[in-house]
Amino acid sequence: MELTIGEHAGFCFGVRRAVDKAFDCADHHLSCVTLGPLIHNPQEVARLEAAGVRSVEALCDVKPGQTVIIRSHGVTPQVYAQCEKLGIPVIDATCPHVAHIHQLVETYSASGDAVIIVGEAEHPEVVGIAGWAHGPVFILPTREEAELAALPGKALVVAQTTIRRDRFESVLAVIRGRVPELTVRMTICAATSQRQQEAERLSRNADVMIVVGGRNSSNTQKLLETCRLRCGRSILVETPEDVPEGAIRGTDRVAITAGASTPQWLLDQVRDRVMQDVRRDGAKA
């Protein structure tokens, strides 16, 4: 078996920063909670809970004396205002790249101009970005929706940081033809682009492509989409136990990548499981 691990697999800068802040709270015995799961990886969230950092769904669930950690996805300005009103201390772990989009949106829309976000409406990052707009907001995940939307004559376009670039370009092409006065800011995270480009390259040359990450992780699902376009035997696994028995043969070229919310320890466990399975099958032969 030939095994390749993606150099850009796993935690991005923003996620690593948020996780480090959370574990630092635990190390200093601070009573901290995260507003929503810190990252979209159940196994790492479980590690945080074991260390004493659990998540809450709303600020009304925060107990007196607790500090709230804002996750890397960012939040709306109303969340900050509510924390201040309630006297809840905040540790802001918003990814700097996401915070930059907040500033772009807030500044551009100060006079009420429209903002278009290319991304998934339900994703917490997109929800947060939309909250910084002072005017109309249009959230367009596909070119079909861009064709149907009642778009304004003037707008700023930004992207969810983890969206696939080809999807962004596809939606943008429609918007360009429909919005006469358009300001475009390419806000896809560089690490996301690197990870997607690497996954595309690896999957072209692999017999089996393994994507490690949470099933509820948007960027992990987008990686899987990218890989499946080029490698029919692309599989998503959350844990080593998810690697299908007999899925990999000793002669296969195998490549492994991972979403931005996947910790290195989990990636290492999946790699070890793949190698163990191949050795076991070789011994049987």
Side-chain angles (χ1 to χ4, degrees):
M1 179 190 66
E2 178 184 328
L3 179 62
T4 304
I5 310 293
E7 292 181 9
H8 299 289
F11 276 178
C12 64
F13 163 75
V15 169
R16 186 181 306 280
R17 176 174 172 270
V19 170
D20 286 347
K21 283 179 179 288
F23 278 114
D24 188 58
C25 285
D27 290 342
H28 288 84
H29 305 291
L30 298 177
S31 181
C32 293
V33 294
T34 64
L35 190 56
L38 188 67
I39 61 173
H40 290 154
N41 184 277
Q43 293 72 35
E44 190 71 351
V45 169
R47 283 186 71 226
L48 284 165
E49 289 179 350
V53 182
R54 65 182 186 86
S55 68
V56 297
E57 291 303 316
L59 292 177
C60 61
D61 299 321
V62 180
K63 297 177 181 178
Q66 289 184 325
T67 295
V68 164
I69 302 174
I70 303 296
R71 55 189 177 177
S72 60
H73 302 105
V75 293
T76 66
Q78 289 76 21
V79 172
Y80 292 108
Q82 193 176 0
C83 285
E84 185 175 357
K85 181 180 178 181
L86 296 174
I88 300 173
V90 170
I91 294 176
D92 195 348
T94 302
C95 173
H97 300 304
V98 175
H100 176 62
I101 304 175
H102 293 173
Q103 293 173 354
L104 288 173
V105 168
E106 183 178 33
T107 301
Y108 179 89
S109 66
S111 59
D113 289 326
V115 171
I116 299 172
I117 306 170
V118 181
E120 306 292 341
E122 302 295 322
H123 194 279
E125 179 191 311
V126 174
V127 173
I129 293 170
W132 290 86
H134 296 285
V137 178
F138 300 83
I139 301 174
L140 305 175
T142 65
R143 64 177 296 126
E144 290 76 19
E145 294 197 37
E147 290 167 349
L148 295 173
L151 298 179
K154 178 183 180 183
L156 167 72
V157 177
V158 296
Q160 180 180 332
T161 58
T162 56
I163 197 168
R164 276 177 25 203
R165 185 168 185 131
D166 60 343
R167 186 193 289 192
F168 175 74
E169 296 292 353
S170 175
V171 176
L172 180 60
V174 175
I175 298 170
R176 284 191 187 281
R178 300 196 58 211
V179 181
E181 193 174 343
L182 194 64
T183 300
V184 180
R185 292 291 180 266
M186 167 54 73
T187 56
I188 297 175
C189 176
T192 295
S193 294
Q194 289 174 335
R195 189 179 298 105
Q196 289 172 349
Q197 290 166 9
E198 181 179 68
E200 181 179 337
R201 175 177 56 81
L202 291 175
S203 57
R204 275 204 181 105
N205 300 306
D207 299 308
V208 180
M209 189 74 203
I210 299 176
V211 181
V212 187
R215 291 183 176 84
N216 62 338
S217 165
S218 174
N219 75 84
T220 299
Q221 290 293 341
K222 291 179 177 66
L223 274 180
L224 183 64
E225 289 175 19
T226 296
C227 294
R228 280 181 171 166
L229 289 172
R230 296 156 185 89
C231 178
R233 293 165 67 192
S234 295
I235 56 176
L236 172 64
V237 302
E238 274 196 1
T239 68
E241 291 72 30
D242 292 334
V243 177
E245 186 175 349
I248 301 169
R249 297 184 288 267
T251 56
D252 281 334
R253 295 168 300 167
V254 181
I256 302 177
T257 187
S261 297
T262 304
Q264 185 63 44
W265 62 266
L266 193 53
L267 181 59
D268 291 341
Q269 286 184 0
V270 171
R271 176 204 61 202
D272 292 346
R273 174 62 179 265
V274 169
M275 296 178 70
Q276 287 170 6
D277 285 356
V278 170
R279 283 197 293 267
R280 188 183 305 116
D281 290 345
K284 290 178 181 177

